[in-house]
Amino acid sequence: MRVRGMALQLTVIGMLVAAVTAAPEFPIAKPGCSDRCGNVSIPYPFGTEPGCYLDKPFLITCNDSFNPPKAFLTTSTINVTEITLEGKLHVEKYIAKDCYNASGRTRRIKPTLKLAKFIISDSDNIFVSIGCDTVASLSGNLKEAGSNETKYTVGCMSSCNSLKYVPNDTCSGIGCCQTSLAKGVDDLNITVTSQKNHSGILDFNPCSYAFIIEEKKFNFSRSSLLDLENVNKLPMVIDWSIGNNSCAEVKTNTSACQGNSTCYDPDNGNGYLCRCLDGYRGNPYLPNSCLGIFFYRL
């Protein structure tokens, strides 16, 4: 009987430990609201239906004409692939191209981006130009405190007349050039062109390319000079935050961050963000969503 009793006790203890250490399912959307669009989780303050998102910039349009459905920011063509509660929107954005054949230019794409509220992440992205006859520029506005904006321009140039001079797996300025972004960029135009219409290099590099890309997802190789001709979009990260006022300015607003959470200022842009306190998990933008997690040791 003693052995059976000990076995039963160990079984009960094991069940309790499993119960308290299992990752709980926390609600991420408002009650009655969809929390997914295809493969993308949609946490509040974002939402897909009226009454489910904070305000207009947080609308996610779920287009079910795709299989699986795709999420788009507001009513734009910006395809959202991930939303994090740490203030990050992972998206896909068109790249700039300038392509030629022996007869001249065959294609030119000059993408633009204008964000009503959010900011292009300077910490997650880089500006890149690729090509052996390439001059690229990014111009736009920097959003400063309040409503002030200043003009912003950054450029990149790369040149080479033979593939053998292009380093593989290194964006060093020969065939590939990269540079960092400033804080506060909320709209931009990307332009890319050539100086010699890719004359003499058409066999291995008929196009020039320029784009903003999530840095940790960028790997350059010689094959990029040709392969990017068939690529239309690349991953980019956008920083999001709530409102225009800092934590110090909203600290008297008890609804700014919900229970068991704290307010903090974003590194890029205006407004504020929320996070659950240490030892709690959940969505800090929903009431009573940050719940305690307790771990036991035998």
Side-chain angles (χ1 to χ4, degrees), residues 15 18 26 34 93 124-125 177 196 198 204 222 251 263 279-280:
M15 292 173 63
F26 294 103
S34 174
K93 194 69 184 73
D124 295 289
N125 302 307
C177 172
K196 300 178 181 178
H198 286 246
F204 68 89
R222 292 173 183 166
K251 63 182 180 180
C263 180
Y280 293 83

Side-chain angles (χ1 to χ4, degrees), residues 57-108:
F58 293 89
L59 167 65
I60 296 294
T61 299
C62 190
N63 189 333
D64 58 11
S65 66
F66 297 93
N67 186 21
K70 288 188 177 183
F72 294 88
L73 183 60
T74 62
T75 56
S76 72
T77 59
I78 302 173
N79 182 201
V80 178
T81 58
E82 184 183 2
I83 304 171
T84 77
L85 291 172
E86 291 73 37
K88 301 293 181 180
L89 269 174
H90 294 258
V91 305
E92 292 182 338
K93 194 69 184 73
Y94 288 103
I95 69 176
K97 297 183 182 182
D98 189 34
C99 299
Y100 296 83
N101 62 20
S103 300
R105 178 179 281 149
T106 60
R107 181 168 39 156
R108 193 174 195 192

Side-chain angles (χ1 to χ4, degrees), residues 106-121:
T106 60
R107 181 168 39 156
R108 193 174 195 192
I109 300 173
K110 297 191 291 183
T112 62
L113 176 64
K114 185 172 181 62
L115 299 170
K117 169 67 179 74
F118 305 140
I119 302 294
I120 298 169
S121 176

Side-chain angles (χ1 to χ4, degrees), residues 5-266:
M6 290 179 64
L8 179 61
Q9 184 180 25
L10 288 172
T11 300
V12 172
I13 291 174
M15 292 173 63
L16 289 173
V17 171
V20 297
T21 58
E25 292 291 331
F26 294 103
I28 62 170
K30 294 179 73 173
C33 295
S34 174
D35 62 0
R36 294 197 70 81
C37 174
N39 297 324
V40 182
S41 296
I42 312 295
Y44 186 80
F46 293 87
T48 60
E49 302 159 355
C52 293
Y53 51 89
L54 180 64
D55 52 31
K56 188 175 180 180
F58 293 89
L59 167 65
I60 296 294
T61 299
C62 190
N63 189 333
D64 58 11
S65 66
F66 297 93
N67 186 21
K70 288 188 177 183
F72 294 88
L73 183 60
T74 62
T75 56
S76 72
T77 59
I78 302 173
N79 182 201
V80 178
T81 58
E82 184 183 2
I83 304 171
T84 77
L85 291 172
E86 291 73 37
K88 301 293 181 180
L89 269 174
H90 294 258
V91 305
E92 292 182 338
K93 194 69 184 73
Y94 288 103
I95 69 176
K97 297 183 182 182
D98 189 34
C99 299
Y100 296 83
N101 62 20
S103 300
R105 178 179 281 149
T106 60
R107 181 168 39 156
R108 193 174 195 192
I109 300 173
K110 297 191 291 183
T112 62
L113 176 64
K114 185 172 181 62
L115 299 170
K117 169 67 179 74
F118 305 140
I119 302 294
I120 298 169
S121 176
D122 65 300
S123 59
D124 295 289
N125 302 307
I126 52 175
F127 178 58
V128 177
S129 70
I130 291 178
C132 279
D133 179 18
T134 301
V135 179
S137 66
L138 181 157
S139 60
N141 291 317
L142 298 179
K143 183 177 290 185
E144 300 176 336
S147 59
N148 296 326
E149 289 193 333
T150 58
K151 296 296 182 181
Y152 168 69
T153 302
V154 64
C156 234
M157 182 175 72
S158 58
S159 178
C160 41
N161 57 20
S162 174
L163 193 59
K164 69 180 181 181
Y165 297 126
V166 180
N168 213 20
D169 302 320
T170 303
C171 188
S172 61
I174 303 175
C176 179
C177 172
Q178 69 180 62
T179 187
S180 58
L181 298 176
K183 289 185 179 295
V185 179
D186 65 345
D187 73 79
L188 59 85
N189 298 275
I190 297 178
T191 302
V192 63
T193 188
S194 73
Q195 294 178 311
K196 300 178 181 178
N197 295 350
H198 286 246
S199 176
I201 60 172
L202 288 170
D203 57 333
F204 68 89
N205 180 217
C207 298
S208 293
Y209 316 96
F211 46 85
I212 293 175
I213 187 170
E214 186 176 356
E215 184 173 14
K216 68 180 182 181
K217 294 185 178 179
F218 175 62
N219 291 295
F220 173 74
S221 68
R222 292 173 183 166
S223 63
S224 301
L225 296 172
L226 276 176
D227 292 348
L228 281 173
E229 188 174 358
N230 298 315
V231 175
N232 293 319
K233 294 182 178 181
L234 289 170
M236 183 178 75
V237 181
I238 294 172
D239 290 332
W240 65 266
S241 58
I242 305 290
N244 294 311
N245 297 322
S246 67
C247 286
E249 294 168 321
V250 301
K251 63 182 180 180
T252 57
N253 183 354
T254 56
S255 64
C257 294
Q258 301 298 326
N260 298 322
S261 69
T262 185
C263 180
Y264 67 101
D265 295 327

